[in-house]
Amino acid sequence: WQSSGHLDGFSDPMVDCKETKLRYRADQLFFSPVILKESKTVVGYVCVHEANDEDMIADAKKQAKKLLKAKKDELGLELPRGKNAPPIYEPFEFKDLTEATEEDLTQIPSPGSGKPTLTMPRDFNLMFQTNVGAMSDASSVAYLRPETAQGIFINFKNALGTSRSKIPFGIAQIGKAFRNEITPRNFIFRSREFEQMEVEYFIPEGEEDVWGPFHRKWIDDSKDFLLSVGLREDLMGWDIHAADGLAHYARACTDVTFRFPFGEQELMGIAARGNYDLTQHTEGSGKTLDYFDDVTKEKYIPHVIEPSLGVDRLVLALICSAYAEDEIGGEKRNFLKFHPSIAPVKVSVLPLLKNKEELVSVARELYDKLRLRWNVAWDASGAIGRRYRRADEIGTPFCITIDFDTVEKDAGVTVRDRDSTEQVRMSIDDVIPYLSKQIDGY
């Protein structure tokens, strides 16, 4: 972690409230001056937590109202009356606290005390430190990984030798990452433990004419992947980092954002990292992490394109994309419109009556066959319409009903589609090929 730069540079800006002793991330607090419309006078500041625009504005309005009420006599203000009266101040112009000057902080109120008691921002290292072994001294210090990527870089030579891969090639990993967040909040977006997926895609060395096409292809492929699993394109956004906003090692970075009901958040990042990591680990370990090109007969340290994705965020984005409402037979229906490939439960098997052994035995036999391939639910309780609704609510794409025609007339089963609610009759032998095509695409 020393070689990768995490011990020195993996930090977030932090501020303390001198009165309440509470600690905040400076880039999660937003301040704005309260400027009177007529005189353009700055009467004070408001400071709110990061949230969606509506909640931030609502919180800021409460603070502005309290501020103006306190300064009414001093400034000779006539405050508007009535709930719908227009404000006498300009619209808020929010900036995060890292942009505040020392003079600004003498007037910006702390969320904890309501008074200007915040310190200047300073760096707070996000590494989780622990000790390994019986002794707790400098020699036993270890760190929980803040990302999965560094393990891939360290094992680059091992993976290269055992897989006999040729550049370009990638190594993918999924696993837990840990970050010592100053103030864990905002649901899954500021947590100390989370699931991460990363790919380190190794490419030839060179300038933008070399790494640029690889970076753009990963951006396009990432978009195709996210759409293929069911993300709504109208809720997705693209944030291209300006040169002055890049990490010190990055050549370029594009973030995929998603507009959740509570605001827009980063979902995925695709970065061109250059050869920074392999170079740093080469210097730190004394072992060369280079690559010999059989075609050009050159030896070089490869560059890397890194797509990085938060699993928890992706699952939440899929749920938000899948939520739908419609009306069936005059009755409102809420359901999850998951793509069949990622629906947690693929099929629900429904014998028409649970007390008729001839129906249950056929249904159970089909259920046992299906669960060898997919995650399948068994539901034999209640009216068939109610069972359909239960399946719809958890996003099950298909329901299979076994009725008396199935056993008495050998007329097959009824397969119901979740989205259209259409029902088709097919033989039991055709069920698995049909579902395979719908779920797996072949």
Side-chain angles (χ1 to χ4, degrees):
W1 300 115
Q2 184 70 53
S3 296
S4 67
H6 283 81
L7 289 187
D8 297 325
F10 194 62
S11 59
D12 276 334
M14 173 187 72
V15 293
D16 290 310
C17 176
K18 289 178 278 191
E19 184 169 306
T20 64
K21 310 304 179 188
L22 292 173
R23 185 166 281 175
Y24 306 96
R25 268 185 58 170
D27 58 349
Q28 292 177 7
L29 292 181
F30 288 79
F31 73 98
S32 172
V34 179
I35 305 171
L36 297 179
K37 283 183 177 178
E38 286 190 8
S39 63
K40 306 300 180 185
T41 304
V42 177
V43 296
Y45 287 80
V46 295
C47 183
V48 298
H49 281 289
E50 177 186 35
N52 62 51
D53 291 345
E54 289 182 5
D55 289 346
M56 288 174 64
I57 291 171
D59 192 7
K61 282 183 175 179
K62 289 179 184 176
Q63 293 184 35
K65 183 177 180 180
K66 187 176 179 181
L67 174 68
L68 291 172
K69 193 173 181 181
K71 295 201 171 188
K72 180 181 68 169
D73 294 336
E74 177 188 337
L75 299 172
L77 296 174
E78 186 67 35
L79 299 182
R81 300 189 178 188
K83 194 173 182 181
N84 298 318
I88 62 172
Y89 49 83
E90 300 278 356
F92 299 114
E93 296 178 359
F94 291 116
K95 296 179 182 177
D96 73 60
L97 216 56
T98 61
E99 298 184 52
T101 65
E102 197 165 351
E103 185 180 343
D104 291 335
L105 280 169
T106 62
Q107 302 179 68
I108 296 172
S110 163
S113 66
K115 295 179 278 187
T117 54
L118 292 172
T119 63
M120 283 296 290
R122 65 187 189 279
D123 286 339
F124 174 82
N125 195 281
L126 297 176
M127 297 290 286
F128 253 122
Q129 182 175 318
T130 186
N131 294 89
V132 178
M135 300 296 291
S136 294
D137 55 21
S139 64
S140 67
V141 171
Y143 299 91
L144 302 184
R145 65 181 184 188
E147 62 179 18
T148 61
Q150 298 305 318
I152 297 176
F153 294 125
I154 290 172
N155 283 292
F156 169 72
K157 273 289 192 182
N158 185 28
L160 183 66
T162 55
S163 67
R164 301 180 66 215
S165 297
K166 303 293 183 185
I167 281 181
F169 74 94
I171 302 174
Q173 185 170 350
I174 180 171
K176 293 287 186 186
F178 305 87
R179 295 182 183 177
N180 191 15
E181 283 286 346
I182 300 164
T183 50
R185 60 186 299 274
N186 204 11
F187 193 29
I188 61 172
F189 294 92
R190 300 295 180 195
S191 55
R192 289 180 171 144
E193 177 183 339
F194 55 94
E195 197 82 12
Q196 189 179 36
M197 296 192 294
E198 288 187 307
V199 177
E200 303 305 324
Y201 191 71
F202 299 98
I203 62 173
E205 64 175 351
E207 298 303 319
E208 188 171 357
D209 61 324
V210 177
W211 60 258
F214 287 105
H215 187 234
R216 286 189 290 274
K217 188 174 190 312
W218 268 105
I219 293 172
D220 294 339
D221 289 349
S222 298
K223 178 182 180 181
D224 291 342
F225 163 72
L226 294 172
L227 293 176
S228 73
V229 295
L231 248 62
R232 283 174 48 186
E233 188 170 5
D234 60 309
L235 298 179
M236 292 167 60
W238 302 88
D239 180 17
I240 301 173
H241 291 214
D244 58 356
L246 292 171
H248 62 280
Y249 55 77
R251 305 293 182 88
C253 185
T254 296
D255 289 338
V256 182
T257 62
F258 186 84
R259 195 167 71 252
F260 293 94
F262 45 82
E264 192 167 21
Q265 297 282 347
E266 179 188 341
L267 185 66
M268 179 181 186
I270 305 107
R273 293 179 71 117
N275 61 5
Y276 173 82
D277 299 278
L278 291 178
T279 300
Q280 289 295 107
H281 287 299
T282 293
E283 293 175 359
S285 66
K287 296 184 181 294
T288 305
L289 300 175
D290 57 11
Y291 172 81
F292 179 73
D293 193 314
D294 291 334
V295 177
T296 64
K297 307 302 180 185
E298 292 178 337
K299 190 177 282 190
Y300 58 83
I301 294 179
H303 286 217
V304 169
I305 305 296
E306 181 193 72
S308 179
L309 176 62
V311 180
D312 312 279
R313 297 183 181 201
L314 176 58
V315 171
L316 182 59
L318 288 169
I319 293 172
C320 293
S321 294
Y323 181 79
E325 297 178 353
D326 65 4
E327 195 172 287
I328 303 295
E331 184 180 338
K332 185 179 178 181
R333 177 178 71 142
N334 303 321
F335 66 106
L336 291 175
K337 205 172 182 177
F338 285 130
H339 189 281
S341 65
I342 58 98
V345 180
K346 310 296 186 187
V347 184
S348 187
V349 177
L350 318 173
L352 188 63
L353 297 172
K354 66 179 179 180
N355 58 356
K356 297 295 182 181
E357 180 57 32
E358 61 269 34
L359 296 180
V360 173
S361 61
V362 173
R364 181 63 69 176
E365 184 181 352
L366 178 60
Y367 169 79
D368 289 339
K369 287 180 180 177
L370 293 175
R371 69 177 183 163
L372 294 174
R373 288 277 301 270
W374 303 291
N375 189 27
V376 182
W378 172 272
D379 191 352
S381 305
I384 197 70
R386 191 177 296 275
R387 284 184 266 173
Y388 284 155
R389 291 294 183 272
R390 286 201 289 260
D392 293 344
E393 285 175 350
I394 63 168
T396 305
F398 303 103
C399 289
I400 300 177
T401 304
I402 292 84
D403 56 23
F404 288 104
D405 285 348
T406 306
V407 295
E408 293 175 358
K409 301 179 181 178
D410 195 23
V413 297
T414 300
V415 180
R416 173 187 178 269
D417 179 85
R418 175 200 61 209
D419 300 343
S420 66
T421 70
E422 290 181 359
Q423 301 182 26
V424 294
R425 199 87 188 178
M426 65 182 67
S427 70
I428 291 180
D429 291 340
D430 290 337
V431 169
I432 290 179
Y434 172 81
L435 293 177
S436 182
K437 179 70 175 173
Q438 300 298 318
I439 295 170
D440 302 321
Y442 60 90

